Amino acid sequence: MNAENTRCLVLWIEYEGTNFHGWQTQPGQRTVQSEIEDALTKMCGEPVRIIGSGRTDAGVHAWGQVAHFHTRSRIEPYKVRIGLNTMMGRDVSIFDCREAPGGFHAQFDAVRKTYRYRILNRRSPSAIRQPYTWHVRKRLDLEAMRKAADILEGEHDFASFCREKGRPEDTVRRLERLSVERASDEVVIEATAEGFLRHMVRNLAGVLVEVGRGEREADSVREVLAGRSRTLAGVNAPPQGLALVGVDYGEKLPPEAAPGPEETDA
């Protein structure tokens, strides 16, 4: 595609991950990427490939996934947003679309990402929140979990918190923030970093829950980090509790697009 004749458009995407086999296109599977690409290809009248800020696994949700694509189409951003929401299923929504400088890249220009993990911490399960939380019956010790989270914050080798299959050579990451808060009958873990390893947040949540249950001491996470072995980090928390909250682009954030003439603030 001739770069001189193309535009770069950026999408902000929300999806309920239950019925998706993750973000990335996979043959024979329903994925978020393939669903959006199919709709854009029809809309723009040309093959379209979108690049996301990162992948999410099957069952994981997103409140603020970001992706960009290039197209020769001259369709205005607000019409792209409206058209996609008309064409796709109700479990995926485009809530913003902006035109960006041609060099913008949804993955490489990201400054930081924030993930949230929700734990339903009560005796009985929830019929409504089951697709969005991990049900843990035993009351969790938040002070112990926070002590472990404080140790995990900062720059470390997180090899023990990464899926071994396909693990990159460089497993050092800087975890800017790892918070543990109680909100009514839920315990909410939030993690912010420039980048994460595969399954890293779910494995962090799994270890923090073990600490909260009293199954391991908070200080034991130092040994987990030092050991660089996935077998030391315990349970991989289930995917449905995890959501990508947002992606920060700092000064590279594309400017807001004008709303459509028929749209109102309501």
Side-chain angles (χ1 to χ4, degrees), residues 99-110:
E99 189 161 358
F104 178 86
H105 197 286
Q107 180 182 0
F108 300 140
D109 287 341

Side-chain angles (χ1 to χ4, degrees), residues 1 7-13 15 20 22-25 31-41 44 46-55 65-71 80 84 88 92-94 97 104-107:
M1 188 177 290
R7 304 152 69 210
C8 178
L9 295 180
V10 186
L11 305 174
W12 276 260
I13 309 158
Y15 50 88
F20 286 106
W23 165 266
Q24 189 174 25
T25 297
T31 69
V32 182
Q33 182 183 22
S34 60
E35 185 137 324
I36 298 173
E37 286 180 347
D38 289 347
L40 282 171
T41 295
C44 297
E46 62 186 2
V48 174
R49 172 79 170 175
I50 64 172
I51 305 296
S53 68
R55 298 184 299 180
Q65 173 68 285
V66 181
H68 78 271
F69 67 97
H70 293 91
T71 179
V80 172
L84 286 176
M88 296 187 301
V92 56
S93 172
I94 309 301
C97 178
F104 178 86
H105 197 286
Q107 180 182 0

Side-chain angles (χ1 to χ4, degrees), residues 19-231:
N19 294 318
F20 286 106
H21 202 76
W23 165 266
Q24 189 174 25
T25 297
Q26 300 177 57
Q29 301 289 349
R30 184 181 184 232
T31 69
V32 182
Q33 182 183 22
S34 60
E35 185 137 324
I36 298 173
E37 286 180 347
D38 289 347
L40 282 171
T41 295
K42 294 175 184 176
M43 181 186 301
C44 297
E46 62 186 2
V48 174
R49 172 79 170 175
I50 64 172
I51 305 296
S53 68
R55 298 184 299 180
T56 54
D57 294 323
V60 175
H61 315 293
W63 294 0
Q65 173 68 285
V66 181
H68 78 271
F69 67 97
H70 293 91
T71 179
R72 294 190 184 94
S73 168
R74 311 316 295 178
I75 303 173
E76 294 181 66
Y78 83 92
K79 290 185 178 180
V80 172
R81 171 174 53 79
I82 292 172
L84 286 176
N85 287 334
T86 300
M87 298 169 72
M88 296 187 301
R90 296 182 65 181
D91 50 1
V92 56
S93 172
I94 309 301
F95 63 88
D96 201 356
C97 178
R98 306 181 185 184
E99 189 161 358
F104 178 86
H105 197 286
Q107 180 182 0
F108 300 140
D109 287 341
V111 176
R112 61 182 58 84
K113 300 175 185 176
T114 297
Y115 283 90
R116 179 175 298 156
Y117 197 94
R118 294 170 58 192
I119 300 161
L120 178 64
N121 191 208
R122 70 183 194 189
R123 288 177 295 178
S124 300
S126 170
I128 295 174
R129 285 179 281 170
Q130 186 276 331
Y132 314 109
T133 58
W134 176 18
H135 181 212
V136 175
R137 291 177 175 82
K138 184 175 181 179
R139 187 167 180 84
L140 297 172
D141 182 344
L142 261 66
E143 290 308 311
M145 294 173 72
R146 287 170 179 154
K147 181 179 179 182
D150 288 345
I151 296 170
L152 292 165
E153 281 186 342
E155 185 172 293
H156 304 285
D157 187 336
F158 284 98
S160 295
F161 294 87
C162 176
R163 190 178 75 165
E164 290 188 354
K165 183 179 180 181
R167 188 169 72 183
E169 289 186 15
D170 181 10
T171 51
V172 175
R173 297 291 184 273
R174 187 170 70 87
L175 193 55
E176 295 182 16
R177 182 176 66 97
L178 184 61
S179 66
V180 183
E181 301 293 338
R182 185 175 291 279
S184 185
D185 58 1
E186 291 188 15
V187 172
V188 180
I189 298 168
E190 282 200 0
T192 299
E194 180 181 352
F196 293 89
L197 299 166
R198 188 79 182 273
H199 290 178
M200 179 173 161
V201 179
R202 289 168 58 190
N203 291 332
L204 287 168
V207 165
L208 291 178
V209 165
E210 290 180 347
V211 170
R213 284 170 166 164
E215 296 169 358
R216 67 164 74 219
E217 296 295 323
D219 284 336
S220 71
V221 299
R222 301 183 193 276
E223 299 173 6
V224 175
L225 288 167
R228 301 190 72 253
S229 172
R230 176 68 194 92
T231 60

